[in-house]
Amino acid sequence: MPGRHALAVDDEGLQPAPPQPPSGWYADPVDDAQWRWWSGEAWEEHRHPRDPLLANEYAQPGTVKAAQSTVQPLASLPEPETAPTVFDPRDLRGRIPAQSLMEQVLRLSAEATTDAHNGRRKLPDEIHSWYAGAVGERRVADILSRLGDEWTVLHSVPVGSEGSDIDHVLIGPAGVYTINTKHHANKDVWVAGRALRVSNHPQHHISNAAFEARRAAKLLTQASGLTVETAGVVVVVGARKLVIKAAPDGDDVTVGVERDSELLGALQSRRIYSDEQVQRIVDAAVRPRTWSLLPVSTVDPRDLQSHFEALEPELAADARRLSQVASKGAATARPQRTAPSRPPSRRPSKKRRSILPGLMKLAVFAVALIIAVNYLGSLGAPSAPAPASFASAELEQSALSQAAGTAAFALDQLSPSGVRPASLVIGEDSTLKTPDGSVVVALPVGTTADYAPSADGLSYTLTLTGPQHGSAVTVTPEAGVVPAPATAS
């Protein structure tokens, strides 16, 4: 959750915000120090300073006075026929979901080559990961659009000096959140403390979300004059399973991990900011220079989205084609059984050949084979593999901890009903297995395992002891992986 309080600071010295422009005048998209006239169809070359002291007078477009830089009362200004929805690069509310990712997708699309054989455009391979990310961010943005009017949602917020962005920033009476969207379609996600694994591969989502929230809190505090505390949220899109073994640990920052479908329910409803404080934070958050000193993108999001959506059918078709190629490749990689070819028939030789030389060769081969078998048997059974070697107890315990975490994840996978196996055994290949032979984890050679399930099978304790230094770790569904005292030196 975001912080419990917000401390106001003295407003003395703050400059009054420029007034809203009168009808027909809008913020100049190329110069934030002036207003500019919109004719109803295009921008005109009539501008006026955004000076609060001159707010009551503006030049009238199309008049001699305007050409002479004189002014006239606001009441006589003509109204444009249609008020445009103008993109203002100085206000981050104009950015669209996944804007940064869309820009990257279009840049990569421009690098596409043409296949000389079929004339088809060949898109760069990396474009598909960027596209998948954009799909995830747009999905989360659609969910966030259901929030009430008391919330301000910013998308694809450029931050820092290296071209990074924050997927979504939420500001409301209940707090400030930074959201990091991760699209893991049909993958299993496992969370415990600082660890997050996707299909058993470690990821840095939690530490990254904590960093984003910490940086946003600092920047918004500096820009708004309030003490702004920010929570980070990792939103998992499309996952097959999300298992939270222990609450995410973001150190000094609150971090949550949620499915996209459960995001709105995870946002707290308790008010911690007043309406005035919310507005001050919003005013700071919508200014690009609050987040980054890099030049502001002047790409019109409407044009960007139009080009991106026009490209989507090609991206989808290319993804299907690559999937089919991968499937065919996997099929051809399997060894195929073929019937032995029949040797060409030949007419029997009229001259009968003696079979004695062949019998002699066969006898010699049989004798050699018997001698070889007897010799190998005299060598005895092969010796067992040597135990794993670790330079220190710390390295041994680290290897055991990794094996224990993998085992915990595998036991969850092998227990869809929640009831764990009644026993586990270590095979000759040093793999920990269930009674039916399912592999739980490969252990360092020589490791011993003590597995004790609860009476109802819903919990268990698994202790792994190292082969060299006696290091040990214990894992349970409730506590996760916990180092245990060494049993030997």
Side-chain angles (χ1 to χ4, degrees):
M1 301 295 178
R4 295 168 294 177
H5 59 277
L7 302 178
V9 298
D10 188 2
D11 288 340
E12 183 178 357
L14 294 179
Q15 295 297 322
Q20 292 297 316
S23 297
W25 294 86
Y26 299 89
D28 190 336
V30 298
D31 185 353
D32 60 4
Q34 60 188 1
W35 305 119
R36 189 170 176 181
W37 180 260
W38 174 262
S39 69
E41 296 180 353
W43 290 109
E44 300 290 345
E45 294 304 317
H46 304 296
R47 298 177 173 86
H48 199 285
R50 296 177 65 177
D51 188 341
L53 300 178
L54 301 178
N56 295 326
E57 295 181 323
Y58 287 84
Q60 178 184 9
T63 66
V64 175
K65 290 184 177 181
Q68 297 175 346
S69 300
T70 58
V71 298
Q72 68 176 55
L74 288 179
S76 61
L77 289 176
E79 299 231 2
E81 297 177 2
T82 57
T85 303
V86 180
F87 164 58
D88 185 353
R90 299 175 309 266
D91 190 327
L92 293 177
R93 283 171 291 198
R95 290 179 67 84
I96 58 176
Q99 179 164 333
S100 297
L101 296 180
M102 289 183 183
E103 292 174 356
Q104 181 66 13
V105 166
L106 293 177
R107 278 194 292 267
L108 290 171
S109 173
E111 299 174 4
T113 58
T114 302
D115 192 314
H117 299 288
N118 54 28
R120 183 190 296 119
R121 285 214 321 154
K122 180 175 175 55
L123 296 170
D125 293 339
E126 61 268 30
I127 197 173
H128 296 289
S129 61
W130 293 96
Y131 174 62
V135 170
E137 289 189 28
R138 296 174 81 188
R139 160 66 179 161
V140 172
D142 179 65
I143 293 172
L144 295 176
S145 67
R146 304 168 198 168
L147 288 170
D149 294 338
E150 70 273 16
W151 288 91
T152 295
V153 183
L154 306 179
H155 303 291
S156 196
V157 177
V159 62
S161 59
E162 298 180 359
S164 302
D165 75 339
I166 302 175
D167 297 345
H168 315 277
V169 177
L170 279 62
I171 305 167
V176 179
Y177 297 85
T178 56
I179 291 183
N180 193 341
T181 298
K182 294 300 177 185
H183 192 180
H184 294 306
N186 300 317
K187 302 291 181 64
D188 294 331
V189 180
W190 180 88
V191 178
R194 301 182 186 182
L196 187 150
R197 304 177 75 87
V198 178
S199 294
N200 209 24
H201 296 288
Q203 305 292 336
H204 299 291
H205 298 344
I206 292 177
S207 59
N208 289 344
F211 174 78
E212 279 189 351
R214 194 177 297 114
R215 177 160 64 172
K218 177 181 177 181
L219 295 175
L220 290 174
T221 295
Q222 293 174 343
S224 69
L226 301 173
T227 299
V228 180
E229 297 183 20
T230 305
V233 184
V234 178
V235 179
V236 181
V237 177
R240 180 172 55 188
K241 180 190 294 186
L242 173 60
V243 178
I244 308 292
K245 302 302 295 183
D249 181 6
D251 289 329
D252 59 324
V253 177
T254 299
V255 173
V257 179
E258 303 291 342
R259 285 183 178 274
D260 53 342
S261 58
E262 300 171 357
L263 173 59
L264 296 186
L267 300 177
Q268 71 173 26
S269 57
R270 178 175 58 88
R271 174 183 284 272
I272 65 172
Y273 294 126
S274 67
D275 290 342
E276 180 183 0
Q277 290 170 332
V278 170
Q279 190 58 50
R280 288 182 62 173
I281 298 172
V282 170
D283 290 343
V286 300
R287 297 196 297 265
R289 295 185 72 82
T290 293
W291 305 92
S292 174
L293 298 180
L294 294 178
V296 179
S297 172
T298 57
V299 175
D300 191 324
R302 294 169 299 183
D303 294 338
L304 177 66
Q305 183 164 333
S306 176
H307 287 92
F308 178 83
E309 292 176 349
L311 183 63
E312 279 192 285
E314 181 182 2
L315 288 168
D318 197 55
R320 288 193 298 269
R321 181 181 60 81
L322 291 176
S323 178
Q324 293 171 356
V325 170
S327 299
K328 291 180 181 179
T332 56
R334 301 189 188 102
Q336 302 292 326
R337 294 183 177 180
T338 57
S341 60
R342 180 176 299 177
S345 60
R346 294 189 301 171
R347 294 182 180 180
S349 172
K350 294 182 179 180
K351 184 178 180 180
R352 180 173 296 176
R353 297 179 180 177
S354 172
I355 63 173
L356 184 58
L359 292 177
M360 291 291 291
K361 292 180 180 179
L362 183 59
V364 171
F365 175 76
V367 172
L369 180 61
I370 293 172
I371 294 174
V373 170
N374 290 336
Y375 173 75
L376 293 175
S378 67
L379 297 179
S383 59
S389 176
F390 297 97
S392 67
E394 289 76 12
L395 292 176
E396 183 180 67
Q397 193 166 65
S398 175
L400 295 178
S401 296
Q402 183 174 358
T406 302
F409 183 80
L411 286 173
D412 288 342
Q413 294 287 93
L414 297 171
S415 310
S417 65
V419 178
R420 272 65 174 201
S423 63
L424 298 176
V425 296
I426 298 180
E428 295 180 356
D429 55 354
S430 294
T431 56
L432 189 63
K433 302 178 181 179
T434 61
D436 63 2
S438 299
V439 175
V440 176
V441 64
L443 300 172
V445 177
T447 299
T448 59
D450 181 13
Y451 174 71
S454 61
D456 57 8
L458 298 179
S459 185
Y460 64 88
T461 299
L462 173 63
T463 300
L464 302 180
T465 304
Q468 186 176 3
H469 300 280
S471 303
V473 298
T474 298
V475 59
T476 65
E478 297 77 20
V481 179
V482 178
T487 59
S489 58

